[in-house]
Amino acid sequence: MIETRKITAEDLVENPVIAAMSEYNHEQLLFCNDNATGLKAIIAVHNTTLGPALGGTRMWMYNNEIEALNDVLRLSRGMTYKNSISGLNLGGGKAVIIGDSKTMKSEALFRRFGKFVNSLAGKYITAEDVGISPLDMTWVNMETDHVAGLPGKSGDPSPITALGTYVGMKACAKKQFGNDSLAGKKVAVQGVGHVGEYLVKHLCEENAEVYISDIDQDLLKRVSNEHGAKVVGLDEIYDIDMDIYAPCALGATVNDDTLSRLKCSIIAGSANNQLADEVKHGQAVLDKGMIYAPDFVVNAGGVINVYAEVTNNTPAWALQKAEGIYDTVHQIIQRSSDENTPAYAIANKIAEERIEAVGKVKLPF
Ligand code: NAD
């Protein structure tokens, strides 16, 4: 997804934090500290042109503050692009809590964090991300209404994320093979966790020939038995004869090594940051005649689900919106081939164009 230059310790010696923010035009950073609860967090609001900045809170044991700062700057900017290209009236934001999610959680810490979220008065809406559970969010919700992804509300985003990935894959198939049927196509799904398994289900139901890998052997066996997918090795997955590679586990699996091995003509999966180096590998994929469905476009089902919750839209609306990922991907890959420009760059451009256009609408009379 969007490449963001990493801020180094040297940068921060020479340039204070505002310079780091101005590199990608972040609007606001809120540093949160509370000795009593042990809360150390950063909330980043990247851009609110389209609406309040929505993005999850990640709890992670960062090695240092620079790592946390880089992560929150990069992730919040990514949310601006994802929300924009998905046609949502949302800006981009993200929060990171610095700490071990296994040992440092408490009601008090999350309520204190909720007070900080509330102090932004709706400019930032939080939700779950890595290391955060629905229970944690109920604590945050005790102090602020600006929370989504609560238990009993929009629920598990994975099925709708898988649906978006599946229809995005079909749009790529239409361009590459002349029709969007995946029947008989060899699809390799890396990672059969929450999203991967639902994707496998769609593919098997359409009679695709599905190959799966996962580090969790029990899960792998169950998914294979339940849906009729064939198991392949963790490294073997890059070498098998396949039409479509669907990364649904890790980032950066499209890299120098794997690109010399992958025989597919489509890459479409739910994992974030699939291109190890966006510029280099985005171009390499294009040069090889492969179609790449930009990750932040096809995996937007989750945020669409959350958006439905905050705007009181129905689950049916969210499903229909996620199905629209087909048309968005179609538009991107058509422009990518017309302009001979990598798909990720076209997706970025479309997201930026919408922000610019809507920014004009929002000018005061
Ligand atoms: P998950 O943790 O449920 O599943 C990931 C699976 O990948 C796990 O089963 C894990 O064992 C497996 N895995 C880890 N390393 C692997 C490797 N080297 N090879 C093969 N498998 C490996 O996560 P998820 O919610 O299914 O999300 C999958 C991806 O999609 C992640 O990159 C996530 O950031 C992204 N994503 C998810 C959502 C969502 O709605 N859940 C939304 C947007 C993006």
Side-chain angles (χ1 to χ4, degrees), residues 169 172-173 175-177 185-186 240-245 262-268 285-286 288-293 333:
M169 189 184 281
C172 296
K175 176 84 178 142
Q176 196 70 295
F177 310 128
K185 294 285 180 275
K186 297 187 177 79
I240 61 173
D241 178 27
M242 63 170 122
D243 300 297
I244 301 169
Y245 169 54
L262 286 168
K263 296 176 193 75
C264 59
S265 59
I266 292 172
I267 300 173
V285 165
L286 184 72
K288 279 174 164 285
M290 293 172 168
I291 291 182
Y292 167 64
I333 58 184

Side-chain angles (χ1 to χ4, degrees), residues 154-291:
S154 56
D156 179 10
S158 308
I160 195 162
T161 302
L163 175 70
T165 307
Y166 171 65
V167 298
M169 189 184 281
K170 284 177 82 67
C172 296
K174 170 102 174 126
K175 176 84 178 142
Q176 196 70 295
F177 310 128
N179 71 68
D180 67 11
S181 169
L182 297 174
K185 294 285 180 275
K186 297 187 177 79
V187 187
V189 180
Q190 180 182 53
V192 287
H194 289 98
V195 179
E197 180 175 1
Y198 285 109
L199 179 63
V200 167
K201 185 168 183 284
H202 284 296
L203 293 168
C204 290
E205 281 172 0
E206 203 184 332
N207 294 321
E209 207 175 300
V210 183
Y211 297 83
I212 57 174
S213 74
D214 202 293
I215 51 174
D216 183 334
Q217 292 304 310
D218 294 337
L219 176 67
L220 201 53
K221 251 183 238 150
R222 185 185 60 71
V223 173
S224 168
N225 289 339
E226 220 159 281
H227 305 287
K230 299 184 185 84
V231 171
V232 293
L234 288 178
D235 193 52
E236 186 194 359
I237 194 161
Y238 301 115
D239 297 312
I240 61 173
D241 178 27
M242 63 170 122
D243 300 297
I244 301 169
Y245 169 54
C248 295
L250 312 164
T253 65
V254 181
N255 54 43
D256 289 342
D257 171 45
T258 60
L259 274 177
S260 68
R261 298 160 63 186
L262 286 168
K263 296 176 193 75
C264 59
S265 59
I266 292 172
I267 300 173
S270 74
N272 282 310
N273 306 315
Q274 291 167 26
L275 303 172
D277 177 325
E278 196 173 68
V279 176
K280 181 180 180 194
H281 300 119
Q283 185 64 47
V285 165
L286 184 72
D287 293 344
K288 279 174 164 285
M290 293 172 168
I291 291 182

Side-chain angles (χ1 to χ4, degrees), residues 46 162 263 341 362:
H46 175 249
K263 296 176 193 75
T341 302
K362 291 198 169 173

Side-chain angles (χ1 to χ4, degrees), residues 25-47:
N25 207 8
H26 282 76
E27 285 179 18
Q28 190 172 1
L29 278 187
L30 180 63
F31 289 86
C32 318
N33 178 66
D34 183 58
N35 289 354
T37 58
L39 175 72
K40 303 210 178 318
I42 312 172
I43 301 173
V45 173
H46 175 249
N47 188 299

